[in-house]
């Protein structure tokens, strides 16, 4: 077709996008049934986020959450003194998150948009990703990381949870090379990252403060935690 011409780097990204699954319809379908037994459909915040805030590791201020889902972390942060902007590509997820926030009588700036359309410049003290990056195609990951770096104020913090290798039998993900994903045209449900790969792809932008396995939690803890996720905290260089 005449329009299928690569003239600039963005055209390459668009071409690669076209070869992969369109994310918005998938995630809208995923969030449409709220009765599914999905671990992170609970209302509890991530246990590592709770530890960051309760320990005083982070200063209160503006927070941006990427891939906020039904809003559990954004709501927790707001109740603990943050002014929160929360983004998700799924309209179903944003609707659910807004309903939850309304029940708590709190104000959060929820928006349904792609993270690739964000152009913040040093506006946030803290950016949090609870399971977004490990669902991004590798060709989009570079711009995603640069966006986070740009969005953070000087010495701002970036919190990340993502799949750790192993645990595929209980809900984890496979550790695939970036090239293998394109050979297969699939992440098989998400991309697991080794500690070494995380440091390799994020280390030019951020200093690593903490990297550990997420602590497993249950309803009595009133926190979310599963053993197949990393919990990482980074600081902007």
């Amino acid at each position: 077709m005449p329009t299928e011409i690569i003239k600039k780097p963005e055209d390459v990204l668009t071409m690669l996008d076209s070869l992969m699954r369109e994310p918005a319809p998938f995630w809208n379908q995923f969030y449409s049934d709220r009765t599914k037994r999905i671990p992170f459909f609970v209302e509890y915040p991530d246990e590592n986020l709770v530890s960051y805030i309760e320990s005083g590791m982070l200063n209160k201020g503006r927070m941006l959450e990427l891939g906020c889902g039904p809003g559990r972390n954004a709501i927790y942060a707001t109740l603990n003194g943050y002014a929160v902007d929360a983004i998700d590509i799924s309209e179903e997820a944003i609707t659910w998150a807004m309903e939850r926030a309304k029940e708590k009588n709190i104000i959060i700036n929820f928006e349904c948009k792609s993270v690739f359309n964000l152009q913040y410049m040093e506006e946030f003290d803290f950016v949090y990703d609870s399971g977004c990056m490990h669902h991004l195609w590798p060709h989009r990951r570079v711009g995603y990381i640069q966006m986070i770096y740009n969005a953070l104020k000087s010495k701002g913090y970036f919190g990340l949870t993502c799949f750790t290798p192993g645990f595929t039998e209980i809900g984890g993900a496979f550790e695939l090379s970036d090239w293998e994903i394109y050979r297969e045209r699939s992440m098989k449900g998400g991309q697991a990252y080794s500690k070494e790969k995380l440091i390799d792809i994020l280390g030019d932008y951020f200093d690593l403060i903490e990297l550990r396995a997420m602590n497993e939690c249950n309803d009595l803890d009133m926190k979310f935690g599963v053993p197949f996720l990393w919990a990482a905290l980074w600081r902007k260089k």
Side-chain angles (χ1 to χ4, degrees):
M1 295 176 62
T3 57
E4 293 182 341
I5 300 173
I6 294 176
K7 298 174 63 178
K8 54 187 183 297
E10 184 63 29
D11 296 335
V12 178
L13 299 180
T14 301
M15 180 271 291
L16 290 170
D17 286 344
S18 73
L19 300 178
M20 305 301 180
R21 182 187 68 199
E22 175 64 31
F26 172 84
W27 289 109
N28 275 326
Q29 179 64 33
F30 183 85
Y31 285 110
S32 64
D33 182 0
R34 302 181 185 182
T35 66
K36 289 187 296 188
R37 295 180 61 84
I38 303 297
F40 56 85
F41 278 11
V42 298
E43 295 192 37
Y44 312 132
D46 290 346
E47 63 83 11
N48 55 299
L49 178 63
V50 174
S51 74
Y52 303 152
I53 292 178
E54 288 189 348
S55 68
M57 295 174 68
L58 308 177
N59 294 323
K60 302 293 174 65
R62 288 192 68 193
M63 170 179 161
L64 171 65
E65 186 179 11
L66 305 168
C68 66
R72 56 193 179 81
N73 290 310
I75 289 170
Y76 172 79
T78 300
L79 291 172
N80 282 272
Y82 284 85
V84 180
D85 290 55
I87 308 298
D88 202 286
I89 199 171
S90 167
E91 293 181 4
E92 292 282 348
I94 292 296
T95 297
W96 191 0
M98 292 174 69
E99 291 173 7
R100 282 181 167 180
K102 186 176 180 180
E103 291 172 358
K104 301 287 186 181
N105 196 31
I106 57 176
I107 296 174
I108 299 172
N109 182 30
F110 287 112
E111 291 190 83
C112 181
K113 61 170 56 176
S114 168
V115 294
F116 306 120
N117 294 331
L118 304 180
Q119 296 183 349
Y120 298 113
M121 290 302 296
E122 298 189 352
E123 297 182 37
F124 295 95
D125 301 278
F126 181 41
V127 174
Y128 192 61
D129 171 346
S130 181
C132 181
M133 190 181 79
H134 63 205
H135 289 299
L136 299 181
W137 302 113
H139 68 278
R140 285 292 185 178
R141 191 178 57 221
V142 176
Y144 180 73
I145 295 169
Q146 184 67 60
M147 177 273 292
I148 294 169
Y149 182 86
N150 292 341
L152 283 170
K153 297 177 182 178
S154 176
K155 302 300 181 180
Y157 287 87
F158 169 43
L160 172 70
T161 70
C162 66
F163 287 127
T164 182
F167 300 99
T168 53
E169 72 282 359
I170 60 169
F174 292 98
E175 184 179 11
L176 304 171
S177 74
D178 291 347
W179 287 31
E180 188 174 1
I181 286 170
Y182 292 98
R183 284 192 290 267
E184 298 286 336
R185 292 196 183 184
S186 173
M187 282 188 285
K188 304 183 186 299
Q191 184 177 15
Y193 287 91
S194 67
K195 176 181 179 180
E196 293 75 20
K197 187 168 183 177
L198 283 177
I199 292 172
D200 189 27
I201 65 176
L202 293 170
D204 290 340
Y205 298 86
F206 307 100
D207 291 318
L208 180 60
I209 305 302
E210 178 182 81
L211 176 62
R212 61 172 174 81
M214 182 178 266
N215 294 320
E216 189 167 10
C217 300
N218 57 42
D219 288 342
L220 294 177
D221 299 312
M222 298 187 68
K223 292 180 284 189
F224 171 81
V226 289
F228 51 81
L229 294 178
W230 288 120
L233 185 65
W234 311 74
R235 184 169 54 215
K236 181 178 179 178
K237 287 188 173 180

